[in-house]
Amino acid sequence: DAGITQSPRHKVTETGTPVTLRCHQTENHRYMYWYRQDPGHGLRLIHYSYGVKDTDKGEVSDGYSVSRSKTEDFLLTLESATSSQTSVYFCAISVGTGSETQYFGPGTRLLVL
Amino acid sequence: QQQVKQSPQSLIVQKGGISIINCAYENTAFDYFPWYQQFPGKGPALLIAIRPDVSEKKEGRFTISFNKSAKQFSLHIMDSQPGDSATYFCAAYNSGGSNYKLTFGKGTLLTVNP
């Protein structure tokens, strides 16, 4: 599992509330990613980070923000959760000198009512 | 714009048969092509990967075939087993780019019947 943990693993929340998901890695890898997985859409990149305080948007970043204040933690925040953000969220890291080999965490299942 | 197209969306194979999943890409700058396997309730896991300097890579029962001129690559699972039942994703990466990200296909749900 490349030392990746995600918390919480399951969450139920209400529309309009803020939600923060945490990804933690134990091996100080530089690149970290947040994806969402939905039926029929596969894996879609939300945001990624290439270092502490260095982040950039993916293809579905609207309504999400991220922060990375230290190497091991990458936080994903839904500023005001909507039902369309009900999904399974995966964190991933890249290992090695490049960033092409990604390893995924166990996922967080989020339900927005 | 979907840059990696994966087919079929779902596939049912009998035990012992060959499972074949195909992907096509558009960006000729892609130079790394991994396949991921995902079981229900788990995160995707890297299965096998290929670079375009070879046309085929084999690891056990899993083989990637790569056709650079056609911009296509495929995953072959020989002697498919019920334990291979999972969702498979192809992906592509441009190591010369600056965005550090994989482009994924939409996935194929493989069911291997006993």
Side-chain angles (χ1 to χ4, degrees):
Chain A
D1 62 357
I4 307 169
T5 57
Q6 292 185 233
S7 59
R9 294 293 313 281
H10 302 272
K11 185 169 183 66
V12 179
T13 191
E14 293 186 349
T15 297
T17 60
V19 176
T20 295
L21 309 182
R22 179 180 183 239
C23 176
H24 179 79
Q25 58 149 326
T26 59
E27 300 181 10
N28 293 322
H29 295 295
R30 178 181 175 190
Y31 301 104
M32 300 185 75
Y33 308 81
W34 276 108
Y35 293 87
R36 61 177 290 175
Q37 185 175 26
D38 306 285
H41 292 279
L43 292 159
R44 292 183 292 175
L45 183 66
I46 305 171
H47 281 279
Y48 63 99
S49 170
Y50 46 96
V52 173
K53 293 186 167 58
D54 292 323
T55 65
D56 206 348
K57 297 179 179 180
E59 59 184 300
V60 290
S61 59
D62 287 349
Y64 301 94
S65 62
V66 290
S67 65
R68 192 170 179 199
S69 58
K70 46 186 177 178
T71 302
E72 58 265 37
D73 288 328
F74 192 31
L75 304 181
L76 176 70
T77 297
L78 289 64
E79 292 140 8
S80 177
T82 68
S83 58
S84 65
Q85 293 176 311
T86 291
S87 187
V88 182
Y89 292 86
F90 288 100
C91 173
I93 62 168
S94 288
V95 301
T97 55
S99 60
E100 70 270 14
T101 304
Q102 294 189 16
Y103 294 91
F104 286 79
T108 293
R109 188 172 296 273
L110 176 67
L111 175 61
V112 183
L113 300 174
Chain B
Q1 180 186 9
Q2 183 189 0
Q3 296 191 52
V4 178
K5 294 185 178 180
Q6 183 171 348
S7 62
Q9 283 189 308
S10 61
L11 179 63
I12 299 174
V13 175
Q14 291 301 118
K15 178 181 177 182
I18 303 174
S19 303
I20 302 175
I21 304 170
N22 300 299
C23 285
Y25 62 97
E26 300 167 1
N27 186 351
T28 55
F30 288 144
D31 57 1
Y32 176 76
F33 303 89
W35 285 88
Y36 284 79
Q37 178 188 55
Q38 184 182 29
F39 293 108
K42 304 293 186 182
L46 180 64
L47 181 64
I48 186 173
I50 196 168
R51 297 190 187 276
D53 53 344
V54 296
S55 60
E56 185 175 283
K57 183 174 182 179
K58 184 176 181 179
E59 291 185 2
R61 295 184 294 108
F62 299 90
T63 300
I64 300 178
S65 297
F66 185 82
N67 186 329
K68 187 174 182 178
S69 61
K71 294 187 287 185
Q72 296 175 347
F73 58 109
S74 60
L75 176 69
H76 296 237
I77 306 174
M78 310 300 290
D79 187 26
S80 298
Q81 299 296 311
D84 297 330
S85 297
T87 300
Y88 292 82
F89 294 95
C90 64
Y93 181 82
N94 172 13
S95 62
S98 59
N99 56 19
Y100 315 114
K101 58 186 182 182
L102 283 168
T103 300
F104 283 91
K106 292 190 175 183
T108 296
L109 177 61
L110 172 65
T111 302
V112 181
N113 288 329

